[in-house]
Every structure is written in structure tokens, then in C-alpha cells.
């Protein structure tokens, strides 16, 4: 079966009351559209075209799919026509139509509707939902669908129908091209409704097959920010469930925020009020949280991150961070590093066994193995014009409250006294103290 998908995503999204296109609103760190495209790919569909508005068209490259601009949003039927006009006709092809505002949709539903459409003009997904509902209503004849009526055009009796249109369709391409050509916009919204193709096909003697899904949550279309929050809650619940089933302990899923595409190793424990984002990879037996934010974090095994933020950085096995630390901007912490409270590490490399336990700023620094950074140490990396580098060797003792005026190099095994202001490089083994720091006599 030759299948191409059309994803409808040009809608104004009026009910979001937003300056951003609806399908670009994020759920668990990804735009809604991303989830729909993932599900289509998971169903084995490789050819797809997204119907876009101007804003989305400008960003469609991010999604790795083709977009076609629908200049005026004249309705879902008009959107499909716009896509068909941009597609080379395939007389024997199938066209799967889905909406870009269904972030919870599952690949299985696409596969189901496609196989039900085999040899038919149209199969579409329906669901039984509690009323009232804004979904279009399915008017049945016998075991087929006779027509779909939009909630805004429905009579009181039709509004009582609790079988609704999920907005997922598998069409015979030739039948679709013909039916779309017949659409009119004489309805409450003055739009060309894709849903009117159903009555058109039935009139021409075709049968429209309903595929009733029990996955009523999966077919939720997000139209406003209340539904956006509901979708996020459900998706986050699923993400937490996935990682728990794979061996991570999540103490309180409700206050834990996850995203797709994370790696969390076995026996890692996530404590409450913690969010993990952007392709983070966490090893085994780690302890993360409470009250922590990780984004694009790469952690080895047995790493601890307590009440801290950890962005765009990595840490090796057994390294411990926090409480109240901030690690950011491509910092690379090796194994057995200890970062204590009120320590900020920015764009720095800390070798195995480095300790900075209290009240410290390490920016643009490169620190050797087993070096101890005393409380209150500051790398003075900014001279008002540019950021300068601090290089500290191995087995160095930086005394409490040392200021290191970068660019500067402190040699292996050196020592700075408490309160030193170090303005010049210190050779290996040298001990310095004072402001400005001067060499101390050798012991
Ligand atoms: C639509 C269906 C309704 C169904 C519901 C399921 C129609 C007329 N109604 O209603 O029967 O129950 O979806 O969620 O199809 N879009 C465009 N261009 C347009 C208009 C819309 O691309 O000109 C896109 C939107 O971005 C959206 C999708 O089509 O992703 C659906 O549009 P929306 O306005 O949300 O339709 P509903 O009112 O939800
Ligand atoms: Ca919708």
C-alpha cells in the first residue's frame, strides 16, 4: 500500500489566544506537531507533508518534513486541497490525514485506520466521549458513517450523539481528490470542512468505515491552554511510567517533569520536584533531586545531584553535586568530583577528585586531579572586556577566600593562603599568600 500523510497544522489556533502557532506550543519539551510526526513515523509512514501557516512554514525545517503554506485558513477541507495540489497524483495511493494538535496520538491508531481503509474510499477514527463535547458528531447509517456534523452546526438531537470524529482519516487518494473538489463553505464557520467529504462519498455510493477507538485520551485535540495542560499531565505520566518500568524509581511522578528521548539508568532514584530535559542521559544508581533541574545533562553512574541545576554539562561516576549548586555551559566534571553548596561552575573542566565544597565560582577554569578549592574561592575570569582562563594543576590547595585574577596558571602542588589575591602565575610547588599574593619562604 502506497501511503502518504497530510498533517493539518495551519489553523489559527484562535482558542489558544497566542502569538505562536498552535502546534508549536510545547508539551513536555516538544512542540505538539513533533509527537504527531513521531507517531506517523512509528506507523511506518515515511512520506508526509504538513499544511502550515506562515510562522510554521518558517520553522518546518526543524521537523525534517516538507511543508506547504496555506495562505488563508479557510478550513480543514481547504487545507487538504492545498496539500493535494502540492502532491504528485498517485491514482492508486492512500492518503492518511491527521491533525497536528494531537500530541497523545499513538501509532497503532494510524495503522488500524489504514488497514480498515483497504479497498475502501474512506475509513476514519471515531471515539465515544462524555458529553458535552466540541468534537464533530458521527451520524451513522447501519454500520457505516453517513455524515459528520460539526458541533457548531449540529441540532440539539445531533449534539446528543456521543460518538465523535477523532480527526484521523485514511482515504483512497482518487476518491479524496474528487470529494474535496465538491466542498462548499455554507456552514456556521464559513469554512471548507474536510468532514463534509463523508456525506459526499456516501452520496456517490461509497461506504465510509468507522474505526472506533477505546483510546479516547490518545485522540484528544488540544484547542486551548486548559487542554494543553491536560495533555502535558497525561504525557508526563506516560513518560514517568516508561522509566519506572525500565527500572528507575520516581518517588513522586506528579512533581517530576520528564521529556521524550531521555536515558535514565536502572536503580536511579528521582526525588520530588525535579525536571529532566533535552536529551539528558543519566547513568545507573544515581540520586537526582529533590528540587533539581537538569537539561542536556550527561551523568555517569552513582552521581548525586541534590537541589541543584545542571545544564549542558557532564559528570563522571560517583561525582556529587549540591545542595544548591549550579553547573552550566559545557562544564565537564570527571569522576569523584565533589561540588558543594553555593558553588557555580561555568564552562570549566574539573579532573578526577577535585573538591569545591562551599561558596565558590569557577568560570572558564581547568583544574587538575585531586585539587582542593577552598571556601569562597573566585576565578575572576572577566576583566571588563573578555573572559579569561584559569588553569590550576593537580594536587593544588587553593586557600579559603582566594581570588584568582585570570588569565592565570597555578602549577601542580602549589598552595595559596587564605584570603590571597593571586595576580601572577604560581610555579609548581610554590606557596603564595597576601594581596597581591607573594611567595612564602619554603618550609
Ligand atoms: C476538527 C474536525 C472535527 C473533529 C476535530 C478533532 C473539521 C471541520 N472538524 O475540528 O470534526 O472532531 O477536528 O480534533 O475538520 N487546520 C488547517 N487549516 C485550516 C483549518 C484547520 O490546517 O484552515 C488544522 C488545524 O491547525 C488543526 C486541524 O486542522 O491542526 C483541525 O482544525 P481545528 O480548527 O482544530 O478543528 P476542530 O474544530 O478541532
Ligand atoms: Ca482541533
Amino acid at each position: 500500500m502506497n501511503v502518504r500523510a497530510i498533517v493539518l497544522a495551519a489553523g489559527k489556533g484562535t482558542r489558544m489566544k497566542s502569538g505562536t502557532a498552535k502546534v508549536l506550543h510545547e508539551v513536555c519539551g516538544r512542540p505538539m506537531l513533533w509527537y504527531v510526526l513521531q507517531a506517523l513515523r512509528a506507523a511506518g509512514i515515511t512520506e508526509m507533508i504538513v499544511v502550515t501557516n506562515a510562522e510554521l512554514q518558517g520553522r518546518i525545517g526543524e521537523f525534517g518534513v516538507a511543508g506547504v503554506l496555506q495562505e488563508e485558513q479557510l478550513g480543514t477541507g481547504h487545507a487538504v486541497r492545498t496539500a493535494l495540489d502540492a502532491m504528485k497524483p498517485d491514482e492508486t495511493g492512500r492518503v492518511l490525514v491527521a491533525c497536528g494538535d494531537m500530541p497523545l496520538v499513538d501509532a497503532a491508531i494510524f495503522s488500524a485506520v489504514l488497514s480498515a481503509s483497504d479497498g475502501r474510499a474512506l475509513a476514519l477514527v471515531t471515539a465515544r466521549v462524555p458529553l458535552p463535547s466540541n468534537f464533530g458528531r458521527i451520524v451513522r447509517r447501519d454500520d457505516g458513517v453517513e455524515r459528520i456534523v460539526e458541533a457548531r452546526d449540529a441540532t440539539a438531537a445531533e449534539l446528543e450523539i456521543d460518538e465523535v470524529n477523532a480527526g484521523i482519516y485514511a482515504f483512497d487518494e482518487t476518491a479524496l481528490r474528487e470529494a474535496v473538489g465538491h466542498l462548499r463553505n455554507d456552514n456556521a464557520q464559513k469554512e471548507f470542512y474536510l468532514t463534509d467529504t463523508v456525506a459526499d462519498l456516501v452520496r456517490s455510493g461509497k461506504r465510509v468505515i468507522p474505526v472506533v477507538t477505546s483510546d479516547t485520551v490518545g485522540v484528544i485535540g488540544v484547542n486551548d491552554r486548559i487542554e494543553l495542560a491536560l495533555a502535558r499531565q497525561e504525557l508526563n505520566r506516560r513518560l514517568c511510567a516508561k522509566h519506572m518500568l525500565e527500572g528507575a524509581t520516581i518517588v513522586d511522578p506528579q512533581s517530576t517533569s520528564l521529556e521524550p528521548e531521555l536515558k535514565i539508568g536502572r536503580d536511579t532514584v528521582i526525588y520530588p520536584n525535579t525536571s529532566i530535559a533535552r536529551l539528558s542521559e543519566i547513568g545507573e544508581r544515581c540520586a537526582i533531586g529533590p528540587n533539581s533541574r537538569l537539561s542536556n545533562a550527561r551523568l555517569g553512574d552513582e552521581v548525586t545531584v541534590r537541589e541543584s541545576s545542571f545544564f549542558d554539562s557532564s559528570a563522571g561516576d560517583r561525582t556529587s553535586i549540591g545542595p544548591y549548586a549550579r553547573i552550566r555551559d559545557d562544564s565537564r566534571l570527571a569522576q569523584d568530583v565533589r561540588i558543594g553548596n553555593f558553588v557555580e561552575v561555568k564552562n570549566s573542566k574539573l579532573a578526577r577528585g577535585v573538591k569545591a565544597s562551599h561558596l565558590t565560582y569557577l568560570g572558564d577554569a581547568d583544574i587538575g586531579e585531586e585539587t582542593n578549592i577552598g571556601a569562597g574561592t573566585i576565578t575572576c575570569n572577566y576583566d571588563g572586556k573578555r573572559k579569561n582562563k584559569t588553569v590550576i594543576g593537580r594536587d593544588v590547595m587553593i586557600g579559603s577566600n582566594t581570588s584568582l585574577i585570570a588569565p592565570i596558571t597555578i602549577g601542580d602542588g602549589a598552595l595559596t593562603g587564605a584570603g590571597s589575591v593571586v595576580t601572577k602565575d604560581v610555579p609548581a610547588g610554590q606557596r603564595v599568600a597576601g594581596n597581591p599574593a607573594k611567595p612564602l619562604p619554603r618550609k
Side-chain angles (χ1 to χ4, degrees):
M1 207 175 352
N2 180 19
V3 183
R4 294 185 286 181
I6 298 175
V7 180
L8 307 182
K12 295 182 275 262
T14 326
R15 290 163 277 183
M16 295 297 281
K17 308 238 165 75
S18 173
T20 299
K22 178 167 77 174
V23 301
L24 292 176
H25 280 261
E26 292 194 352
V27 176
C28 298
R30 300 288 185 285
M32 287 197 263
L33 176 62
W34 182 89
Y35 293 95
V36 178
L37 299 177
Q38 285 285 108
L40 286 168
R41 289 183 185 116
I45 296 163
T46 51
E47 266 192 82
M48 32 192 138
I49 185 163
V50 179
V51 183
T52 63
N53 54 32
E55 184 194 4
L56 180 58
Q57 185 63 23
R59 282 188 50 186
I60 199 69
E62 291 170 31
F63 296 92
V65 289
V68 58
L69 179 64
Q70 184 192 18
E71 304 219 6
E72 267 187 292
Q73 282 75 53
L74 302 179
T76 49
H78 179 262
V80 167
R81 195 191 307 161
T82 306
L84 288 173
D85 288 347
M87 293 158 59
K88 206 166 136 254
D90 174 358
E91 276 159 29
T92 61
R94 312 245 110 218
V95 176
L96 185 86
V97 180
C99 299
D101 62 356
M102 308 177 75
L104 299 172
V105 72
D106 192 87
I109 199 77
F110 293 141
S111 308
V113 75
L114 273 172
S115 49
S117 79
D118 201 13
R120 307 285 187 171
L122 169 61
L124 54 86
V125 179
T126 76
R128 293 201 177 274
V129 298
L131 297 179
S133 161
N134 293 323
F135 282 97
R137 303 299 203 271
I138 301 291
V139 180
R140 286 216 184 210
R141 184 166 56 186
D142 309 324
D143 55 353
V145 181
E146 182 175 65
R147 59 193 169 89
I148 296 174
V149 57
E150 289 308 294
R152 271 183 271 194
D153 300 300
T155 63
E158 287 165 339
L159 285 175
E160 292 301 311
I161 301 173
D162 69 350
E163 183 179 19
V164 301
N165 170 29
I168 300 170
Y169 320 79
F171 284 95
D172 168 76
E173 184 175 322
T174 303
L176 172 63
R177 284 187 186 268
E178 217 177 284
V180 154
H182 299 158
L183 292 178
R184 296 154 53 94
N185 65 348
D186 47 357
N187 51 53
Q189 302 185 75
K190 298 277 171 284
E191 286 185 359
F192 296 92
Y193 291 163
L194 179 62
T195 44
D196 286 346
T197 57
V198 174
D200 187 78
L201 291 168
V202 169
R203 260 196 305 275
S204 63
K206 309 255 172 29
R207 232 167 73 77
V208 174
I209 314 294
V211 177
V212 187
T213 181
S214 53
D215 182 13
T216 51
V217 179
V219 298
I220 283 174
V222 171
N223 295 312
D224 59 35
R225 295 184 199 243
I226 297 173
E227 289 167 341
L228 186 71
L230 288 172
R232 183 251 161 223
Q233 199 173 35
E234 171 61 18
L235 199 66
N236 191 61
R237 193 190 63 72
R238 291 183 190 178
L239 290 165
C240 288
K242 167 186 182 284
H243 287 288
M244 291 190 283
L245 291 173
E246 286 171 4
T249 293
I250 298 179
V251 175
D252 180 19
Q254 292 224 43
S255 72
T256 302
S257 296
L258 299 185
E259 292 191 355
E261 303 180 292
L262 300 173
K263 292 199 178 122
I264 305 177
R266 282 191 181 199
D267 294 312
T268 282
V269 181
I270 317 277
Y271 291 96
N273 239 331
T274 292
S275 66
I276 306 176
R278 296 287 136 196
L279 307 179
S280 290
E281 291 182 15
I282 296 171
E284 300 189 349
R285 299 177 303 284
C286 293
I288 311 297
N291 308 324
S292 295
R293 291 171 63 208
L294 282 68
S295 176
N296 188 24
R298 279 146 286 125
L299 307 183
D301 296 333
E302 291 168 39
V303 174
T304 302
V305 179
R306 274 190 297 159
E307 313 218 49
S308 293
S309 41
F310 194 103
F311 294 159
D312 304 308
S313 295
S314 61
D317 298 347
R318 295 174 304 280
T319 282
S320 118
I321 315 285
Y324 316 118
R326 180 170 184 222
I327 315 298
R328 62 186 178 99
D329 275 348
D330 201 22
S331 288
R332 292 154 199 231
L333 282 44
Q335 302 177 348
D336 301 298
V337 169
R338 297 181 68 87
I339 300 295
N341 41 202
F342 309 110
V343 174
E344 177 178 2
V345 183
K346 184 223 111 181
N347 185 32
S348 291
K349 247 177 94 184
L350 276 55
R352 191 183 52 75
V354 168
K355 291 188 187 62
S357 299
H358 330 268
L359 300 156
T360 284
Y361 173 60
L362 300 173
D364 308 303
D366 190 336
I367 306 178
E369 284 184 15
E370 301 292 342
T371 283
N372 189 81
I373 308 291
T377 295
I378 306 292
T379 54
C380 306
N381 60 331
Y382 187 51
D383 58 14
K385 291 195 189 72
R386 62 182 69 83
K387 300 285 168 63
N388 299 301
K389 232 183 128 72
T390 299
V391 177
I392 304 177
R394 56 187 302 161
D395 298 309
V396 174
M397 271 293 298
I398 300 292
S400 293
N401 210 23
T402 293
S403 298
L404 298 161
I405 314 295
I408 195 164
T409 300
I410 313 290
D412 293 345
L415 175 149
T416 70
S420 300
V421 177
V422 187
T423 57
K424 290 192 186 118
D425 290 355
V426 179
Q430 175 82 260
R431 296 144 46 91
V432 300
N435 177 7
K438 299 226 166 69
L440 296 174
R442 294 216 175 247
K443 272 197 290 198

